[in-house]
Amino acid sequence: MTVYPSSRAWQRVDPPGTELALFREHAGLTAEGSSVVGGARPYTLRYSLVTDDLWRTQRFDVEVAGAGWRRTARLEHAAGRWRVATGEEGQLDGSVPGIDDADRLEDAVDVDLGFSALTNTLPIRRLDLLSAPVGTVHKLTMVFVRVPTLEVYPHEQTYTVVGPGRIGYWSLGYTAELAIDDHGYVTHYPGLASVV
């Protein structure tokens, strides 16, 4: 059993819900989190995340469950390659969890879990955006895990240092200005979540 010294909790906006992440920063990040989400298709979600000392994702496990269905995914990154394994029980919709060809993820370093404020911290810390000058821009390919279907695919995102405690985020025409704390964790993600 792991006891974590730190935590963050977020209140989600749309769909409504909460996220709690327990974590330890030692030679990277080790975290466990959970969400309860309401709306038209309510579900629960649990995840665990391990990075190396440079904050590059090594392993990410996620399980999501709703009435009549459950899905799991394990993503591992080693020797420059991603491996994705999935499982499902019951019927969610016509989607298939995972990805048909994990080689499509070869340019990605970080995992981005849909609707999770925690995973935005990974590129912020890995690229040291906390101390980067205003105007610093990084275009990234992320391993995006769609929730609740757990479909996995490469996803282009841009992070821009806007000012102290502020990071601009862009993806597929969507833009937001993320408020972050002194450790690089999101405190406010417009339209998604805020720390409570």
Side-chain angles (χ1 to χ4, degrees):
M1 175 187 263
T2 303
V3 176
Y4 293 95
S6 301
S7 67
R8 296 286 188 285
W10 294 271
Q11 182 70 47
R12 290 183 39 167
V13 178
D14 184 26
T18 58
E19 177 182 2
L20 172 66
L22 307 172
F23 58 91
R24 174 180 59 242
E25 293 183 26
H26 176 73
L29 180 70
T30 301
E32 292 183 18
S34 61
S35 295
V36 176
V37 179
R41 184 169 45 188
Y43 60 87
T44 62
L45 180 142
R46 294 174 28 139
Y47 62 83
S48 65
L49 168 70
V50 176
T51 75
D52 65 12
D53 59 339
L54 298 176
W55 287 70
R56 298 175 299 201
T57 301
Q58 290 184 316
R59 189 182 76 246
F60 183 74
D61 292 295
V62 60
E63 176 181 355
V64 62
W69 60 272
R70 176 180 307 274
R71 288 186 171 185
T72 61
R74 169 171 274 192
L75 291 77
E76 295 177 294
H77 193 226
R81 299 197 66 184
W82 285 94
R83 291 186 322 178
V84 179
T86 62
E88 65 178 321
E89 297 176 38
Q91 193 65 25
L92 173 60
D93 58 18
S95 66
V96 176
I99 188 169
D100 59 347
D101 179 8
D103 287 342
R104 292 176 46 212
L105 305 172
E106 69 180 343
D107 294 331
V109 174
D110 307 299
V111 166
D112 184 12
L113 177 64
F115 300 117
S116 172
L118 177 72
T119 52
N120 292 101
T121 299
L122 300 176
I124 291 169
R125 290 292 294 270
R126 181 174 60 79
L127 299 168
D128 197 21
L129 296 182
L130 292 170
S131 62
V134 171
T136 299
V137 177
H138 287 278
K139 295 181 180 182
L140 307 169
T141 300
M142 307 288 281
V143 174
F144 188 77
V145 181
R146 183 182 297 254
V147 174
T149 63
L150 301 189
E151 295 166 277
V152 175
Y153 53 90
H155 193 243
E156 304 302 317
Q157 300 179 3
T158 301
Y159 286 75
T160 304
V161 178
V162 178
R166 298 188 340 261
I167 301 290
Y169 170 87
W170 178 92
S171 178
L172 302 175
Y174 172 79
T175 60
E177 187 173 295
L178 310 179
I180 58 172
D181 66 18
D182 292 342
H183 301 283
Y185 294 92
V186 174
T187 58
H188 180 69
Y189 191 133
L192 177 66
S194 293
V195 164
V196 291

